[in-house]
Amino acid sequence: MSPREVVLLGSTGSIGTQAIDVVRRNPERLRVVGLAAGGGRVELLAAQALELGVDVVAVARATVAQDLQLAFYAEAQRRGFSSGDYAVPKILAGPDAATELAAWPCDVVLNGMTGSIGLAPTLAALQAGRTLALANKESLVAGGPLVTPYRSQIVPVDSEHSALAQCLRGGRADEVRRLVLTASGGPFRGRSREELAGVTPAQALNHPTWDMGPVVTINSATLVNKGLELIEAHLLFGTPYDAIDVVVHPQSLVHSMVEFTDGSTLAQVSPPDMRLPIALGLTWPDRLPDAAPGMDWSAASTWEFLPLDDAAFPAVQLAREAGRRGGTTPAAFNAANEVCVEAFLDGRLDFRGIVDTVARVVDGTPLRERPTLAEVLETEDDARRRARELVRTLSLER
C-alpha cells in the first residue's frame, strides 16, 4: 500500500512539528509532499523540507523566498549533501501561497495554522475534494456556513473533537443525548473574577498541562478556547447548543465524552499528547500503532470533574450566545479575541478586559446569516477595528 500523501499547513508551529514527528516514525504509512509556514522560522522550514523530501513549500511573505533558498543551501551543506543528493522544492510565496498549496494534489491536508487566516486554505482544501485534518478551529468557527457543507470531509484534530469523533463511533446519531467537552481550567482554575485582576502574561502563559503556542495558551487561560471548541463541536457534529456541555477536568486525561439516550457515557482517555489526535487525523478512520504513550493503569490516580464558573470565566457562555446567533457572529467573536490577546500580551489590556472587550464587539456586530467569504472577511476586519478602538480607549483610561 502506498503511503498517504500529506500537505502540512503551519509546519513550524506546535501542531506542525508534532505532525512531522508522527510522519517521521511512520514512513511506510505517510509521506509529506508540501509544507507551508508563515516565514518566521526559515531555517527550520528548510530543514523540514530537506528531511522530508517535499515537492513544494509555501511561505506567506514573498520577501522570504530568497531567504528560504539560501536556507536550503545552508542546510544541505550542514548535512553534507552534494548538489546531486537533494532537490530544491518548488517555492510558492505570498499571502495566497498557503491557499494554493491547500489544493495541491494529495490525500489529506492538515491545517495546523493559528487564527482565522486559515479559513481560505480550509475552503481551498475542501473545494478541491481533499480530506481535511483540521486543527485550525478558527477557520471553522469563522467560516461556519461556508465550511459545514463539506462536513463529511473534515476530521477533527483538536484533542476534544477527536475524542468526540471516536466516542461517536459507539452509537447511531439518533442515540446521542449530549456531548461533554472537558476543560483543564487553565492556570487560573478556581480563581474568582476578583482574583483575576492584575494577572500577568507570564502567569497566563504557564499552562498546567499542555505545551502550546502563545495565542492558544492565552485562549485556554480565558477559556475562549473552550468557547471556540463549543462552536466547533456544534458545526462538526450538528449537535444543538443545548446538548453540548463543558466540565472542568484538571487532569486532562478524559478528553471529552458522549452521553447516549440509554444513560451510557463513552469517554476517550489518554495522556495529554497531541500526537494521538494528529495521527488519527492523518490516517482516519484507521489508527497508527503506538502513535502516543497509553495510560499507566497500574498507577493510582484521582480524576476530578468540576462545574464551570461562568462568572469568573464568561467566555464559554458568550461563545454559546454567539453560536446560537450564528451567521457572522462567531467570526466577530474570534477576530476580536485575536486583537485582545495581542493587546494583553503587549501590556495594553488587562486579563479580564479580553473577554469583556470581545463581548462589546459581539454585541455591536450586525448579523449576516448566510455570508459569502468576502462578507466573513469584512466582518472580521470590522471586529478587529472596533476591538482596537476599544483597547485604545481602555488604555487611555488606565
Side-chain angles (χ1 to χ4, degrees):
M1 184 173 64
S2 300
R4 187 172 292 192
E5 295 190 333
V6 178
V7 162
L8 177 53
L9 310 179
S11 70
T12 59
S14 175
I15 293 294
T17 53
Q18 291 178 88
I20 287 173
D21 182 57
V22 170
V23 172
R24 188 181 289 127
R25 292 185 288 113
N26 295 276
E28 74 289 350
R29 298 284 301 275
L30 298 165
R31 176 180 176 253
V32 178
V33 297
L35 299 172
R41 305 175 73 183
V42 173
E43 292 78 11
L44 175 57
L45 179 59
Q48 291 173 338
L50 286 179
E51 176 191 353
L52 298 169
V54 304
D55 302 326
V56 58
V57 173
V59 288
R61 299 197 305 273
T63 55
V64 173
Q66 185 174 4
D67 295 337
L68 185 58
Q69 288 178 321
L70 294 173
F72 282 136
Y73 177 76
E75 179 63 20
Q77 294 290 102
R78 189 185 71 79
R79 291 172 179 255
F81 290 169
S82 64
S83 59
D85 292 334
Y86 70 98
V88 175
K90 177 183 178 67
I91 298 175
L92 307 175
D96 298 325
T99 302
E100 182 178 351
L101 181 60
W104 201 264
C106 67
D107 298 303
V108 57
V109 175
L110 172 58
N111 189 344
M113 301 170 75
T114 299
S116 58
I117 193 173
L119 174 56
T122 282
L123 290 173
L126 293 171
Q127 290 165 359
R130 311 290 179 249
T131 295
L132 177 67
L134 186 62
N136 175 243
K137 65 172 65 67
E138 296 91 345
S139 64
L140 178 57
V141 169
L146 299 173
V147 179
T148 50
Y150 304 95
R151 185 183 290 156
S152 63
Q153 294 171 233
I154 302 174
V155 182
V157 173
D158 271 351
S159 62
E160 296 82 1
H161 302 89
S162 176
L164 291 173
Q166 294 175 67
C167 293
L168 286 167
R169 287 179 168 187
R172 300 190 310 270
D174 63 356
E175 296 176 322
V176 174
R177 176 177 289 159
R178 65 183 56 251
L179 311 181
V180 183
L181 292 163
T182 56
S184 70
F188 306 128
R189 175 177 56 86
R191 294 198 190 189
S192 66
R193 178 173 173 84
E194 291 71 26
E195 291 171 328
L196 292 172
V199 301
T200 66
Q203 291 171 321
L205 288 168
N206 186 26
H207 196 278
T209 306
W210 297 98
D211 181 15
M212 306 173 289
V215 174
V216 178
T217 305
I218 299 301
N219 285 348
S220 180
T222 60
L223 267 73
V224 162
N225 211 39
K226 206 55 52 180
L228 294 172
E229 289 169 10
L230 185 145
I231 297 172
E232 187 180 7
H234 167 76
L235 295 170
L236 281 170
F237 305 115
T239 306
Y241 282 104
D242 289 343
I244 307 174
D245 292 338
V246 175
V247 299
V248 176
H249 171 53
Q251 292 76 27
S252 296
L253 297 173
V254 177
H255 297 289
S256 279
M257 299 173 277
V258 175
E259 179 185 319
F260 292 92
T261 52
D262 62 354
S264 298
T265 297
L266 296 186
Q268 189 269 320
V269 181
S270 62
D273 190 324
M274 282 302 298
R275 289 175 297 176
L276 192 153
I278 289 169
L280 267 171
L282 295 177
T283 61
W284 185 271
D286 301 322
R287 295 181 183 270
L288 283 179
D290 303 315
M295 292 290 296
D296 179 5
W297 295 109
S298 66
S301 63
T302 299
W303 298 353
E304 299 172 275
F305 297 94
L306 308 167
L308 182 63
D309 183 350
D310 287 318
F313 300 98
V316 172
Q317 187 57 35
L318 176 62
R320 194 185 298 273
E321 293 167 2
R324 283 177 175 147
R325 191 178 180 203
T328 51
T329 311
F333 174 93
N334 178 67
N337 178 69
E338 290 178 1
V339 170
C340 293
V341 168
E342 181 183 358
F344 170 68
L345 290 171
D346 290 345
R348 294 179 287 113
L349 185 66
D350 67 32
F351 182 79
R352 296 184 303 183
I354 297 174
V355 177
D356 291 350
T357 304
V358 172
R360 292 177 65 181
V361 172
V362 168
D363 285 344
T365 297
L367 175 62
R368 289 166 164 164
E369 292 187 8
R370 293 177 178 81
T372 64
L373 176 57
E375 288 171 335
V376 170
L377 298 177
E378 183 182 341
T379 296
E380 289 187 321
D381 287 344
D382 287 345
R384 291 190 179 97
R385 176 184 52 77
R386 286 185 288 119
R388 291 189 187 101
E389 290 172 354
L390 288 168
V391 168
R392 206 160 29 242
T393 301
L394 291 170
S395 296
L396 293 172
E397 293 174 353
R398 289 170 69 182

